[in-house]
Amino acid sequence: MASDEYHRRTLITRLNIRSNEDEQLLIDTIEEWLDGCNIGSDLAWNECYTKSDVRELAKDRIKQDTELGDQHATLACHEVAGAIKSCIERRKSGKKASQPRFTTRSMTYDRRTLTVFPEKEKVSLTTLGDHSRVHADLALPEDEDGYQYEYLDSDEWEYTESTLHYRDGDWYIHLGYRKPKEDKAVSATENGTVLGVDLGVNQIAVTSTARFFDAAELNHHRREFEKTRASLQQTGTQSAHRTIQSLSGREERYVKHVLHSVANGIVEEALDHDCDGIVFEKLDGIREDLPDAEWHSEWAFRKLRDFVEYKAEYESLFVDTTSRRNTSKRCNHCGFTHDENRHAGQFECQSCGKQNHADYNAAKNVAELYLRRGHQPSGRRSVSQYALKSGPRTPS
């Protein structure tokens, strides 16, 4: 069954390692994994990027130069192939991309190298070689209504490729789960509705229904992280370098937490307004269009959309994109498009005089131009209107 024929979810929880010996064995395994990935990257860079080609080129060398077993050597090749492919895609879009280097203490597991025991709430992980294993307990929430139990106790969801993470002295497991999508024929109707979403500078996101997700607190925390990082860099000691690495991990987790919250809000807004889908602008060139967004990076924008897609799929909502062209310059009231219409966070049409919040005006344009340009979600009912705070509107 093709990968796009599955619903996919991720169960995230801490792991309790049972002994210092087991913890050291896992640390050693991750270090060997990183070495294996970097060996594969050295061999495959500028040579190949498909999983099969990287396996053929690098797997034997990885097994020879590390203590990884056969399956983890295979998974390391797959990790390298995915990283190189991402670099190639960046180059095709005119962006710089250097050879992948693997330094973050995390590694991939699959059904051959990881076993889940739902009844005992524990996992078994392959370490160095093919036969050495470590058993660890899942640190699940005491509340049995926690989302993790939905997958652990389910006969419908099966665990697949997962990721082990080690950061700040703690272990985390991201267990991947999947189940086949139901093959349902969806009939086309006339009145499907979409929610438009604009990504901005002072607002992380604004919807066509006038829900604002402010970036002020996130900007503040990012500035504080940056001040601390700059101070540590001036110190220049080995200890300061380790602290910077730890700080970067905390910053990334904080940003992900905020983006998860925003994604939840966007999906809730779509459900509250009986939408069939959510529409973003394409991310091409967004870093150049929003140079003053303190919180932003292309990674953050993509991560937010990924979170929305993940949560929307669970609610049977589609997520799609449309071109960024003129969404910030076009008056949603009369359609007049001009560079002078937008002044920072305010929008005032030079033709009809209509005034509005610039990001809110853009969010409505994202949805309306998506419909005007004839986009339709594949395999779902057609959409012809978009959600506003006062109700749906059909483009005239």
Side-chain angles (χ1 to χ4, degrees), residues 30-97:
I30 287 183
E31 294 298 334
E32 290 293 292
W33 160 267
L34 295 176
D35 287 345
C37 289
N38 286 320
I39 290 169
S41 179
D42 289 339
L43 293 172
W45 183 244
N46 292 328
E47 296 293 333
C48 57
Y49 67 89
T50 67
K51 290 182 179 179
S52 59
D53 286 346
V54 176
R55 277 201 313 272
E56 183 176 350
L57 181 67
K59 181 178 176 180
D60 288 344
R61 179 69 175 275
I62 291 172
K63 291 176 66 177
Q64 174 185 323
D65 291 357
T66 72
E67 297 183 51
L68 294 178
D70 186 83
Q71 187 59 19
H72 269 316
T74 296
L75 293 172
C77 292
H78 294 175
E79 188 80 8
V80 170
I84 293 178
K85 184 178 180 181
S86 295
C87 291
I88 292 172
E89 291 174 349
R90 284 183 60 84
R91 284 180 167 180
K92 286 181 178 178
S93 61
K95 300 173 183 176
K96 293 182 179 180

Side-chain angles (χ1 to χ4, degrees), residues 13 27 38 40 58 118 154 164 169 195 197 214 240 248 253 311 337 381:
T13 188
I27 291 174
N38 286 320
S154 174
L164 176 68
L195 180 77
V197 181
D214 189 76
S248 296
R253 289 194 296 277
K311 298 169 191 296
T337 302
R381 71 176 188 163

Side-chain angles (χ1 to χ4, degrees), residues 112-316:
R112 294 184 183 182
T113 53
L114 179 147
T115 304
V116 180
F117 300 94
E119 303 84 3
K120 298 181 180 180
E121 298 182 358
K122 72 175 187 179
V123 295
S124 171
L125 305 117
T126 299
T127 56
L128 300 177
D130 287 316
H131 305 293
S132 175
R133 281 189 169 245
V134 162
H135 294 271
D137 299 307
L138 299 172
L140 298 169
E142 295 182 6
D143 181 2
E144 293 190 0
D145 290 332
Y147 82 95
Q148 292 93 336
Y149 294 99
E150 178 182 350
Y151 307 111
L152 283 173
D153 299 336
S154 174
D155 294 329
E156 296 180 356
W157 294 92
E158 65 172 352
Y159 72 92
T160 58
E161 196 165 273
S162 305
T163 311
L164 176 68
H165 297 265
Y166 180 64
R167 55 178 181 262
D168 298 334
D170 290 321
W171 293 91
Y172 298 86
I173 190 75
H174 292 209
L175 290 172
Y177 279 83
R178 72 179 187 181
K179 71 174 180 179
K181 292 181 179 178
E182 297 179 10
D183 185 15
K184 292 183 178 179
V186 183
S187 61
T189 63
E190 291 295 326
N191 298 312
T193 305
V194 297
L195 180 77
V197 181
D198 178 70
L199 303 176
V201 176
N202 297 315
Q203 309 295 326
I204 299 174
V206 179
T207 70
S208 58
T209 52
R211 183 164 181 181
F212 290 74
F213 299 91
D214 189 76
E217 184 175 353
L218 183 53
N219 286 338
H220 169 74
H221 282 281
R222 291 294 296 272
R223 286 194 295 269
E224 293 301 311
F225 277 122
E226 189 57 39
K227 286 180 184 177
T228 304
R229 186 181 295 108
S231 176
L232 289 167
Q233 286 173 339
Q234 287 184 344
T235 303
T237 64
Q238 192 72 17
S239 174
H241 178 69
R242 288 194 296 269
T243 304
I244 289 173
Q245 290 182 315
S246 175
L247 182 72
S248 296
R250 292 202 302 272
E251 181 181 14
E252 181 175 329
R253 289 194 296 277
Y254 171 74
V255 173
K256 283 184 177 180
H257 171 75
V258 173
L259 297 180
H260 263 297
S261 177
V262 174
N264 283 333
I266 290 172
V267 172
E268 288 169 3
E269 196 71 6
L271 294 173
D272 288 345
H273 289 81
D274 297 321
C275 294
D276 297 276
I278 299 167
V279 178
F280 290 91
E281 296 169 304
K282 291 180 180 178
L283 296 179
D284 299 344
I286 195 167
R287 296 181 72 176
E288 290 74 23
D289 289 349
L290 299 178
D292 299 322
E294 295 180 42
W295 69 274
H296 95 281
S297 68
E298 188 171 351
W299 168 84
F301 288 123
R302 292 191 184 281
K303 185 60 66 175
L304 174 59
R305 199 174 74 188
D306 287 346
F307 288 159
V308 171
E309 288 177 348
Y310 158 73
K311 298 169 191 296
E313 181 186 35
Y314 191 78
E315 301 292 349
S316 297

